Amino acid sequence: MDAYLIVGNTHTRKSSIARSLSGCFNRSLRDIQLQGGRAPLRLYARAGAVQETRKTPEEFIAEVPRTRCTALLCCLLPTAHPNERQLFPDAQTYIERFEAAGWHIRAIAVLGQNSGGLRGPRLRQFPMAPTAPINQTASEVRAFFGWV
């Protein structure tokens, strides 16, 4: 499973970017063309932070393969759910569990200032995302992900 992640606090436009990139409303399967003419991804796109939709890492890991997708686009909060930190942990914990399940994290787009301590070569921060025109941020994230 190839995973493309959008991380950001509340009101950083995570869901809007996910919808702009995929055309999904809440959760949908979409074909996404990659740059370079490779075969399109069969993408499961899920708007809304996973923690806010009250899915534990294990529940989400079980949900995704049932869609018969080859890739995933989802949103995460950088910090744990404020009311249920153990059940719905921070982005780093979700990512660790995704990798333990054999998923390949292809790219992490961080919207706004709070990366939740995430670091690495597959991460790019978009600090102006909360105030920049949405189509500009979506275009930049699309290019970062390597999508047409």
Side-chain angles (χ1 to χ4, degrees), residues 24-39:
C24 82
F25 177 66
N26 280 335
R27 51 187 96 178
S28 302
L29 279 176
R30 298 286 192 251
D31 291 324
I32 299 292
Q33 184 62 54
L34 298 171
Q35 293 175 0
R38 293 179 284 162

Side-chain angles (χ1 to χ4, degrees), residues 1-126:
M1 181 70 56
D2 290 339
Y4 297 84
L5 308 175
I6 299 172
V7 175
N9 287 332
T10 304
H11 305 297
T12 55
R13 302 177 171 179
K14 296 177 301 299
S15 296
S16 296
I17 296 297
R19 290 181 181 114
S20 294
L21 293 174
S22 67
C24 82
F25 177 66
N26 280 335
R27 51 187 96 178
S28 302
L29 279 176
R30 298 286 192 251
D31 291 324
I32 299 292
Q33 184 62 54
L34 298 171
Q35 293 175 0
R38 293 179 284 162
L41 298 173
R42 187 69 175 150
L43 182 84
Y44 178 51
R46 199 163 196 281
V50 176
Q51 297 102 316
E52 291 176 329
T53 60
R54 306 182 74 76
K55 287 281 185 178
T56 66
E58 293 74 21
E59 289 170 336
F60 191 62
I61 289 166
E63 171 186 321
V64 173
R66 289 193 299 261
T67 68
R68 297 187 179 156
C69 62
T70 60
L72 163 73
L73 170 66
C74 74
C75 303
L76 294 168
L77 295 171
T79 57
H81 189 283
N83 299 326
E84 298 187 71
R85 295 184 177 284
Q86 294 300 321
L87 283 176
F88 313 113
D90 62 8
Q92 182 64 49
T93 302
Y94 275 85
I95 291 168
E96 289 168 1
R97 304 253 178 95
F98 294 168
E99 291 176 326
W103 294 8
H104 305 282
I105 308 301
R106 295 294 180 201
I108 303 169
V110 175
L111 306 184
Q113 300 291 326
N114 186 2
S115 68
L118 296 172
R119 303 251 186 282
R122 299 167 299 190
L123 182 141
R124 180 170 169 204
Q125 197 149 9
F126 299 86

